[in-house]
Amino acid sequence: MKPLEKLTKAQFISFCLMSFCSGVMIGVGGTAFLLACNWNETWGKLVGSVLFSLGILSIVMFEMKLFTGLISDIPEMGAKNFWKLPVCFLGNMLGVLFASILVYYSPLKDSVVPQAKILMSVKLDAHLWALKAFCSAILCGFLITLSIGAVNYAPRKKLSTTVGVMFPIIVFAFCGFDHSVANTLYIYFLGFSGKAVVYLLMCVLGNIVGGVILPILSLFRIWSNTPQLSAKAEEKQENPTDTSNE
């Protein structure tokens, strides 16, 4: 991971547009998930999870800006770049809103909207719903970071980047872990309320906590190995002709 750089005006506009487009893809993926859930409770959910993962794959392929993906940069982005998080989230929400409006006035409305209302109502009516939202969102954030990280790490291990990106998404969608951006689609269809807003905020916090775990551990691993690497470098400089280990 590299620290994010300051953006020019044109880059800022591009950042906002790519955040919006990312929200549209989440809305499309979420719609496909809801539609599949109407088919069969278990197999429909599995098929829907695969379809939803294609939305994330397109975001990664075209380098769109997704809030839960941007979270992985928090440990290195610096305080001056924190503004990108709320801007990205707002762009994502607007993109999801745009997609939800199109779906609402499409033939899919009668299948998708009732399913979204059922799904979100169950979450909001659950016992200890706020705590469950937070814990569920932590798991989701962790898996999202795994998915985003696959772009860099999968090729090094000679693995498929596509599978590396999609598989964690399929797992979190099938398990029903809370994705703050995807949940906005369900809330748009259900209708905003004070309870829904609090639920969404708990999802945001949980996604942030879960999303920074791996990046922080990665930085710690690099930091812990730095003294050893420095010691080996110094030893090599002191004994340039030492070939005992060759």
Side-chain angles (χ1 to χ4, degrees):
M1 295 177 296
K2 297 180 180 180
L4 301 179
E5 299 176 354
K6 293 183 179 180
L7 304 181
T8 64
K9 185 176 181 180
Q11 289 173 326
F12 175 75
I13 294 175
S14 175
F15 180 87
C16 293
L17 290 175
M18 295 307 278
S19 298
F20 177 84
C21 290
S22 183
V24 172
M25 291 311 305
I26 292 295
V28 172
T31 298
F33 175 81
L34 293 170
L35 191 62
C37 287
N38 277 306
W39 166 52
N40 182 279
E41 184 175 354
T42 301
W43 288 105
K45 192 175 182 181
L46 179 59
V47 171
S49 300
V50 175
L51 296 176
F52 180 81
S53 71
L54 293 175
I56 301 292
L57 180 62
S58 65
I59 290 172
V60 173
M61 288 175 59
F62 292 95
E63 299 182 355
M64 300 178 193
K65 303 300 180 182
L66 181 62
F67 171 73
T68 49
L70 197 61
I71 286 172
S72 63
D73 290 316
I74 287 179
E76 291 187 289
M77 70 166 48
K80 292 183 178 180
N81 287 312
F82 282 169
W83 61 267
K84 294 181 180 181
L85 293 170
V87 170
C88 183
F89 187 70
L90 177 60
N92 291 166
M93 288 189 69
L94 292 175
V96 173
L97 175 61
F98 179 71
S100 68
I101 291 173
L102 295 180
V103 171
Y104 191 84
Y105 291 102
S106 76
L108 296 176
K109 174 186 174 182
D110 293 338
S111 299
V112 172
V113 175
Q115 186 67 32
K117 290 181 177 180
I118 293 172
L119 188 151
M120 202 64 220
S121 295
V122 170
K123 290 178 179 288
L124 292 175
D125 293 337
H127 179 60
L128 298 176
W129 56 271
L131 178 60
K132 289 181 179 179
F134 180 69
C135 294
S136 175
I138 290 176
L139 294 170
C140 176
F142 185 84
L143 289 169
I144 287 286
T145 301
L146 277 179
S147 176
I148 299 299
V151 177
N152 296 321
Y153 293 107
R156 300 180 189 177
K157 303 296 183 180
K158 297 182 179 180
L159 300 173
S160 169
T161 301
T162 300
V163 174
V165 170
M166 292 178 61
F167 195 70
I169 306 303
I170 294 172
V171 172
F172 102 67
F174 185 74
C175 292
F177 297 147
D178 285 282
H179 187 279
S180 54
V181 180
N183 277 353
T184 58
L185 176 69
Y186 312 140
I187 293 175
Y188 283 144
F189 289 141
L190 176 66
F192 271 93
S193 64
K195 194 173 184 180
V197 171
V198 173
Y199 191 97
L200 190 59
L201 289 175
M202 295 304 293
C203 292
V204 169
L205 292 175
N207 286 164
I208 291 174
V209 172
V212 299
I213 292 175
L214 280 178
I216 290 176
L217 290 177
S218 179
L219 288 175
F220 179 78
R221 179 177 59 82
I222 295 173
W223 172 80
S224 64
N225 289 332
T226 299
Q228 298 178 12
L229 294 175
S230 299
K232 289 182 179 179
E234 292 177 1
E235 184 178 352
K236 189 173 182 179
Q237 290 178 354
E238 294 176 356
N239 304 286
T241 58
D242 185 6
T243 59
S244 59
N245 294 325
E246 295 181 359

